[in-house]
Amino acid sequence: MGNAYEIYALRYATMSPRTPHLNFLVPDPHDTTAQDLDYFVWLIRGHGRDILVDTGFNAEEAKARARKLTLNPVDALAGFGVSADSIKDVVVTHLHYDHAGNLDRFPNAKFHLQEREMSYATGRCMCNGMLRHPFSIEHVTQMVRHVYGERVTFHSGDGEIAPGVTVHRVGGHSDGLQVVRIETARGPVVLASDAAHYYANLHKRSPFPIVYNVGDMAQGWETVERLAGHPDRFIPGHDPIVSEIYPRASDKVDAFALHLAPSRSFAK
């Protein structure tokens, strides 16, 4: 394929233990255990460029939220041979704390964000503590500084980052959540981010508990499936199964090659 890219998931943190009510808005009453929550950033490589999707969180944020940080995502990139200074484009799927930290660590990057997410993160909904909780005021204000520094490209709905790399607003989890579709040698792969934290959120049509609009989330699952075109070509945002079924891509950091075929298929 002319615009084929490589995609790598870099795992930088894990949260354990979890209970079913932490992973599903309406959990199965028969379930007593639940999967851990893995945290990733994603690196898209090809055609002489590196595109980063999301920027994770740092040690300060980990301490504030009682999360265990294995490695700062910026250091994970360095361990994978990519310097933060070399990144020219960063797609921020949404502004929650675990996807939009470290925004000050990419001095030469343009940030790609849905206009609706910026409005949501700075608007009247942030007067509600429950909706505000997943956001960090430091991250949001840093993005505002990037806006004033003319370093943000806003997208409204669908947008193109590069030939073969597009973004698509799905909302649901956060009002301006966007997913990323990337052309690879095995076909289009969709980084669903938090449109589905786990494979099971989409497969069972059961939302993750942190949700702004359940209707948008349900429609978002359909959008993800349509954009991917095959059940093995969508990647959930936090599922440890990803690290189990995709080939390891580094002996220095937890990196996994998503452009290669998984060892397990979800096709029925």
Side-chain angles (χ1 to χ4, degrees):
M1 298 176 66
N3 291 322
Y5 291 85
E6 297 177 352
I7 315 169
Y8 299 95
L10 278 66
R11 181 170 57 185
Y12 68 91
T14 297
M15 183 183 179
S16 178
R18 306 277 293 181
T19 58
H21 81 277
L22 293 174
N23 292 353
F24 299 97
L25 186 62
V26 183
D28 186 329
H30 301 98
D31 288 342
T32 57
T33 60
Q35 291 172 285
D36 292 346
L37 190 78
D38 279 355
Y39 296 87
F40 298 94
V41 298
W42 300 273
L43 181 67
I44 303 168
R45 311 197 79 173
H47 307 281
R49 65 195 303 166
D50 291 331
I51 301 170
L52 182 65
V53 178
D54 289 343
T55 54
F57 58 82
N58 61 17
E60 182 179 6
E61 193 69 27
K63 182 178 180 180
R65 294 182 182 265
R67 301 291 189 263
K68 182 180 179 181
L69 183 71
T70 306
L71 185 67
N72 186 291
V74 178
D75 297 326
L77 283 169
F80 199 65
V82 178
S83 71
D85 291 2
S86 70
I87 299 290
K88 298 297 192 297
D89 292 284
V90 174
V91 177
V92 179
T93 62
H94 60 302
L95 287 170
H96 284 177
Y97 81 94
D98 53 326
H99 295 260
N102 300 300
L103 294 174
D104 58 338
R105 300 285 300 276
F106 301 90
N108 300 310
K110 179 76 73 172
F111 297 90
H112 297 267
L113 184 71
Q114 287 286 323
E115 185 174 14
R116 196 157 169 168
E117 182 69 359
M118 190 84 261
S119 297
Y120 176 56
T122 57
R124 66 173 65 195
C125 286
M126 295 302 101
C127 297
N128 181 287
M130 181 185 70
L131 297 176
R132 184 176 66 242
H133 180 70
F135 293 90
S136 162
I137 188 171
E138 286 76 15
H139 301 165
V140 174
T141 53
Q142 182 62 61
M143 187 62 81
V144 172
R145 292 182 183 279
H146 287 328
V147 172
Y148 274 67
E150 300 182 8
R151 295 182 56 198
V152 177
T153 295
F154 285 111
H155 300 273
S156 297
D158 298 340
E160 184 180 72
I161 308 303
V165 181
T166 54
V167 294
H168 308 267
R169 180 204 167 259
V170 297
H173 175 69
S174 184
D175 194 36
L177 174 69
Q178 60 185 350
V179 301
V180 189
R181 184 181 189 267
I182 306 105
E183 293 290 349
T184 75
R186 70 181 181 106
V189 170
V190 175
L191 299 177
S193 183
D194 289 359
H197 279 59
Y198 297 95
Y199 282 107
N201 292 127
L202 184 146
H203 292 160
K204 296 181 179 181
R205 295 303 200 255
S206 182
F208 191 78
I210 300 175
V211 54
Y212 170 68
N213 187 307
V214 174
D216 280 356
M217 178 170 280
Q219 289 184 321
W221 295 327
E222 297 181 6
T223 299
V224 167
E225 289 179 322
R226 175 178 56 81
L227 291 171
H230 190 281
D232 293 344
R233 294 203 303 258
F234 100 85
I235 311 297
H238 293 270
D239 201 322
I241 290 175
V242 169
S243 63
E244 298 171 7
I245 66 176
Y246 283 97
R248 191 172 183 89
S250 172
D251 58 358
K252 296 180 179 179
V253 295
D254 283 342
F256 307 91
L258 307 180
H259 54 282
L260 301 179
S263 61
R264 185 194 319 171
S265 176
F266 292 100
K268 296 180 179 179

